[in-house]
Amino acid sequence: GADLLLDVAEQVVAEASEAHFLVIGYPNVEHYRSEAAKRGLDTAMTFTGRVRHAETFGYLGISQIAVSPKIAITEGNLKLCYYMQAGLPTVVFDNEVNRELLGEVGYYAPHGDADAMAEQVLKLLRRKRRPSAKKIQQQVLEKFSMDRLVQIIEDGYEQTLRSR
């Protein structure tokens, strides 16, 4: 979805020139940095490259909105848990994995639709009051608290034992 993120950024920056995209992670950082420059986004996007796990929340702490244009629908999207823990309203493509994680605190665009994703980002940027960080954080705590995870594991073992 990195190419789609460039499409999203291009549209958002065209309407909200103050917007800045912070792209955390790797691989292919130089390729995407070059692609962003070709689109005139070199001053609107910062590519950190690989960051240590401990540094992630520092970057998220300076962010106002998270965007995850992940297009694979058969894999998890663990970064959403980080975004929720940081209290960030998050724009994603509408699929089962993203709905399972974000639920009602997510902002959804049809799968693969960069135009719709850009519109969701712009709606969030235009809002005078953003969604409550505490509400977003509560979502991740409810779904992934240690007690909840232990209960899921215990239920799995119990179901396995019953099926024998």
Side-chain angles (χ1 to χ4, degrees), residues 4 17 39 46 56 59 74 98 101-102 108 162-163:
L4 289 171
S17 60
R39 296 177 186 222
T46 299
T56 303
Y59 285 111
T74 58
N98 293 339
L101 292 170
L102 291 169
Y108 300 96
R162 269 191 263 134
S163 67

Side-chain angles (χ1 to χ4, degrees), residues 8-9 11-19 21 65 91 115-127 130:
V8 169
Q11 292 179 53
V12 169
V13 171
E15 289 196 39
S17 60
E18 74 284 0
F21 286 76
I65 297 169
V91 180
D115 295 341
M117 183 169 268
E119 190 53 42
Q120 289 285 33
V121 172
L122 287 165
K123 280 181 190 176
L124 280 166
L125 287 174
R126 291 179 191 131
R127 285 178 106 174
R130 295 232 170 74

Side-chain angles (χ1 to χ4, degrees), residues 135-152:
K135 181 178 179 183
I136 296 167
Q137 290 165 332
Q138 188 62 37
Q139 177 83 0
V140 76
L141 289 174
E142 286 173 8
K143 288 187 178 242
F144 301 103
S145 70
M146 189 56 71
D147 289 342
R148 172 98 168 98
L149 294 176
V150 166
Q151 186 63 53
I152 289 168

Side-chain angles (χ1 to χ4, degrees), residues 55-157:
E55 297 170 341
T56 303
F57 284 103
Y59 285 111
L60 295 178
I62 62 171
S63 302
Q64 295 177 342
I65 297 169
V67 181
S68 179
K70 187 171 193 165
I71 55 176
I73 59 173
T74 58
E75 330 176 327
N77 199 354
L78 188 60
K79 72 179 92 178
L80 299 184
C81 294
Y82 287 95
Y83 299 161
M84 290 190 306
Q85 194 172 3
L88 294 173
T90 302
V91 180
V92 294
F93 290 130
D94 195 354
N95 64 48
E96 190 176 337
V97 170
N98 293 339
R99 284 232 179 239
E100 173 70 24
L101 292 170
L102 291 169
E104 68 179 46
V105 300
Y107 294 83
Y108 300 96
H111 189 75
D113 187 340
D115 295 341
M117 183 169 268
E119 190 53 42
Q120 289 285 33
V121 172
L122 287 165
K123 280 181 190 176
L124 280 166
L125 287 174
R126 291 179 191 131
R127 285 178 106 174
K128 292 194 184 344
R129 291 187 66 211
R130 295 232 170 74
S132 163
K134 292 223 182 287
K135 181 178 179 183
I136 296 167
Q137 290 165 332
Q138 188 62 37
Q139 177 83 0
V140 76
L141 289 174
E142 286 173 8
K143 288 187 178 242
F144 301 103
S145 70
M146 189 56 71
D147 289 342
R148 172 98 168 98
L149 294 176
V150 166
Q151 186 63 53
I152 289 168
I153 292 168
E154 286 177 351
D155 290 349
Y157 281 128

